[in-house]
Amino acid sequence: KKYMRDLADITAEQAKSATELELAARIQQGLLPAEAITGQQVDVTGYMEPAIEVGGDFYDYYFLDEQHLAITIADVSDKGVPSAIFMVVAKTILHNVLPLYYRDSLAEALSAANEQLAEVNDEDLFVTVWAGVLDLVSGKLEYVSCGHSSPVFVHDGKITTLAKSKNPALGIMPGIEFRQQSTMLPSDSLLFMYTDGVTEAMNEQNQMFTGERMEKVLEMAADDNAAEVIAKMKTAVKGFTGQAKQFDDITMVALKYYQIDNGPKMSSVSTGD
């Protein structure tokens, strides 16, 4: 009887923990953009699949004004609840500082975010971040890469990896100055941002998906819209990994840019579940 009572108590506690993790996962997904952004000049959408119930990856995109679009993708060290909490803090801080500093210096925005993260980082976590601001009229992309995988740029059949400065990840220590970079996006170009859960996804033979396979998918999807690019990459990764266990969060953002002459026009559409 005691064994049965103990088993019932353990089962009830496990069910409670599972329910709480499911709730946490829904809350975390709710923090990500619920809509794709689509219009005459830009088409952007993202996807995040955690390796366990809650993850440390995140992405964000939103208009800073009629002409400027902010895009962020990030990967918190470690897994589980601590990294998920740090993810929420990092996303909130970055979402708050970018509108304050982007006109003067995107690098200054990342420095400010780093100061705040370092101050609350009692668990010695860190977060790799790629943050950019796209001018929809000129096509100029200002960006800061903080230890994160460089986005891949596709245009006119050519694939290029964006240059990356040697900036550290955020949250490691205060007092760091970050370097800002820029590039021009020509009309009808694709920018693909991702975390290393994409390229390092493993199959049952312990082989990695690799950047080469990712680029082949992007070559085939270069003329597709952002949602189709994401869908094809998801299919390719899942087809490669098969029944192998997912060991890292998989996160990606696809952005298509089209330059027009009569000013920015944009709208939002739901991405669905």
Side-chain angles (χ1 to χ4, degrees):
K1 289 181 180 179
K2 181 180 183 304
Y3 171 77
M4 293 302 295
R5 286 196 303 269
D6 291 344
L7 182 60
D9 291 342
I10 293 171
T11 302
E13 187 64 29
Q14 289 176 337
K16 179 182 177 182
S17 298
T19 300
E20 290 174 347
L21 282 173
E22 289 174 5
L23 176 59
R26 290 199 297 271
I27 292 172
Q28 189 177 47
Q29 285 288 340
L31 293 172
L32 302 176
E35 298 180 327
I37 294 175
T38 185
Q40 292 185 17
Q41 289 173 289
V42 69
D43 176 22
V44 58
T45 190
Y47 168 80
M48 194 274 280
E49 182 179 353
I52 54 178
E53 287 85 353
V54 290
D57 284 8
F58 67 89
Y59 64 89
D60 203 3
Y61 47 77
Y62 49 93
F63 289 106
L64 296 163
D65 54 40
E66 283 191 343
Q67 188 170 328
H68 295 91
L69 175 73
I71 319 104
T72 305
I73 188 166
D75 184 354
V76 176
S77 60
D78 208 353
K79 298 180 180 66
V81 174
S83 64
I85 294 173
F86 198 70
M87 165 266 187
V88 174
V89 174
K91 181 182 179 298
T92 303
I93 289 174
L94 285 164
H95 193 95
N96 290 337
V97 300
L98 287 182
L100 297 176
Y101 294 95
Y102 80 95
R103 289 186 180 276
D104 298 323
S105 170
L106 185 59
E108 189 175 341
L110 273 295
S111 295
N114 180 67
E115 294 298 310
Q116 295 182 47
L117 285 169
E119 184 178 347
V120 299
N121 189 10
D122 295 331
E123 300 298 322
D124 294 326
L125 298 172
F126 62 86
V127 56
T128 67
V129 176
W130 187 93
V133 174
L134 175 63
D135 185 320
L136 298 179
V137 174
S138 68
K140 185 177 183 179
L141 176 68
E142 301 276 359
Y143 65 93
V144 180
S145 180
C146 305
H148 196 80
S149 303
S150 293
V152 176
F153 169 68
V154 187
H155 176 68
D156 198 21
K158 298 179 181 179
I159 292 185
T160 306
T161 300
L162 292 189
K164 180 173 69 172
S165 294
K166 294 182 179 179
N167 295 317
L170 301 186
I172 297 174
M173 61 181 294
I176 297 175
E177 294 184 3
F178 294 89
R179 183 181 175 187
Q180 179 173 326
Q181 296 169 273
S182 66
T183 190
M184 298 298 295
L185 297 187
S187 185
D188 196 20
S189 55
L190 165 66
L191 189 67
F192 184 77
M193 296 142 276
Y194 63 98
T195 61
D196 56 14
V198 176
T199 53
E200 297 179 5
M202 305 282 285
N203 64 14
E204 294 169 285
Q205 290 74 45
N206 293 322
Q207 298 170 322
M208 290 196 299
F209 185 67
T210 73
E212 289 77 9
R213 288 187 175 89
M214 181 184 72
E215 291 182 2
K216 288 180 179 179
V217 175
L218 294 176
E219 284 181 338
M220 295 184 292
D223 295 328
D224 295 335
N225 63 36
E228 290 168 338
V229 172
I230 295 291
K232 287 185 177 180
M233 193 63 69
K234 286 167 54 179
T235 299
V237 172
K238 290 183 180 297
F240 175 81
T241 56
Q243 299 301 313
K245 182 180 179 181
Q246 182 182 335
F247 286 99
D248 199 1
D249 303 336
I250 294 175
T251 305
M252 56 187 93
V253 176
L255 181 148
K256 294 295 294 285
Y257 173 68
Y258 308 94
Q259 193 173 56
I260 60 175
D261 297 326
N262 57 349
K265 295 180 181 179
M266 69 288 286
S267 61
S268 297
V269 297
S270 175
T271 59
D273 294 330

